[in-house]
Amino acid sequence: MPLKVLLPLDALDADHPALVSARQSLPDAAFVLVHVAPPASPQAALAEAQLARLRAQVGSRHQVVVLQSPSVGGALIEYLTQHSQDLVWMGATRKGQLERFLLGSAAERMQRDSPVPVVTVPMAAAPPPTSVAGAPLRILHLHDFSEASEAARVFLQTHFPAAQVDLVHVIQPSALVAPVRTSVMPGGRASSLTLLRRRNREWRLEAKRRMALLGGGRVCEGEPAQVALTLVRGGQYDLLAVGKSTKGWLDRQFLGSTSQQLLRQSPVPVLTAGPHEAHPGGRPPT
């Protein structure tokens, strides 16, 4: 079965950067191209008029759908609840902090609420060169040992079996809470510099042990988003994968999250997955 991919487009254009990158990165996928237009608007009528041309350009294997809704994110989420898809692949524009706070972002809404993994593509990003050449995708996976990170890893194994996936875990030396259990304090909390150093040594050892169980990977220190951005800016990767943030709305707005920072700053497409998104339709088998 081919990978089923929902691909939102802000313009019904076969040369849209998000569509071009998706077809080059996922040549065997079956796409549902979706354009969301405000109800009863000239834009909606124009979109309907462009359907036949776009269908002819992309071929009968792919679907083209126009939805009428005042909310792009809301329409896409509703479509996903009614139609089973494996992945969302969409372009992302970069808004300022105040504009994001007041108006939100369709890409960030999908990253947060989609029941299936989401790949967001920087609109200025060039198509992955390895995909054009037919070579396997090179994927950097920022793994923090959370359920969401593990869901992303399983999704990559399932749907990108030929990809070169490099796992990286980043230790934050000054973090109050570690993602692994240590002997310093329950939950990995540290309250003094001495305990913090001891906690970090145990964190590193446990991280290396877990990475070995996952097949190997790199353990380094720093701020997770900045470490990942430095690596992908080196030109060695076509895709960056990360688990979905579990922070609340207020924390996301004022404190941010690693996944949101990557979404806004990564020069390559970013895949985000939640704890239950490793399986088709976003649901584990029962």
Side-chain angles (χ1 to χ4, degrees), residues 56-121:
Q57 289 174 321
V58 300
S60 59
R61 176 179 177 180
H62 309 297
Q63 300 180 52
V64 182
V65 177
V66 173
L67 304 177
Q68 296 190 19
S69 172
S71 169
V72 174
L76 296 175
I77 294 296
E78 183 177 0
Y79 186 90
L80 285 171
T81 62
Q82 299 173 357
H83 303 83
S84 176
Q85 299 290 307
D86 300 315
L87 180 69
V88 175
W89 186 289
M90 67 186 300
T93 56
R94 298 200 166 122
K95 299 182 178 182
Q97 185 174 3
L98 181 60
E99 188 177 6
R100 285 196 307 269
F101 182 85
L102 296 176
L103 302 177
S105 159
E108 291 183 6
R109 168 77 186 275
M110 293 301 294
Q111 182 197 54
R112 183 177 70 249
D113 297 335
S114 170
V116 299
V118 176
V119 171
T120 53
V121 183

Side-chain angles (χ1 to χ4, degrees), residues 152-238:
R153 188 184 70 85
V154 173
F155 183 86
L156 293 175
Q157 281 189 333
T158 303
H159 297 292
F160 298 89
Q164 170 196 318
V165 181
D166 293 341
L167 294 179
V168 174
H169 177 76
V170 182
I171 295 172
Q172 294 178 272
S174 60
L176 294 178
V177 180
V180 299
R181 184 171 295 278
T182 69
S183 66
V184 175
M185 292 183 68
R189 294 185 180 275
S191 57
S192 71
L193 183 58
T194 300
L195 291 178
L196 196 64
R197 288 172 177 168
R198 178 181 165 190
R199 188 280 310 271
N200 290 342
R201 287 195 297 271
E202 294 185 17
W203 181 353
R204 176 177 288 275
L205 290 173
E206 177 62 13
K208 288 183 176 180
R209 186 188 72 83
R210 294 194 185 190
M211 281 295 198
L213 292 175
L214 294 176
R218 184 189 317 182
V219 177
C220 53
E221 290 190 4
E223 197 282 318
Q226 291 306 314
V227 170
L229 289 170
T230 298
L231 290 172
V232 298
R233 285 169 179 161
Q236 300 179 3
Y237 295 102
D238 307 306

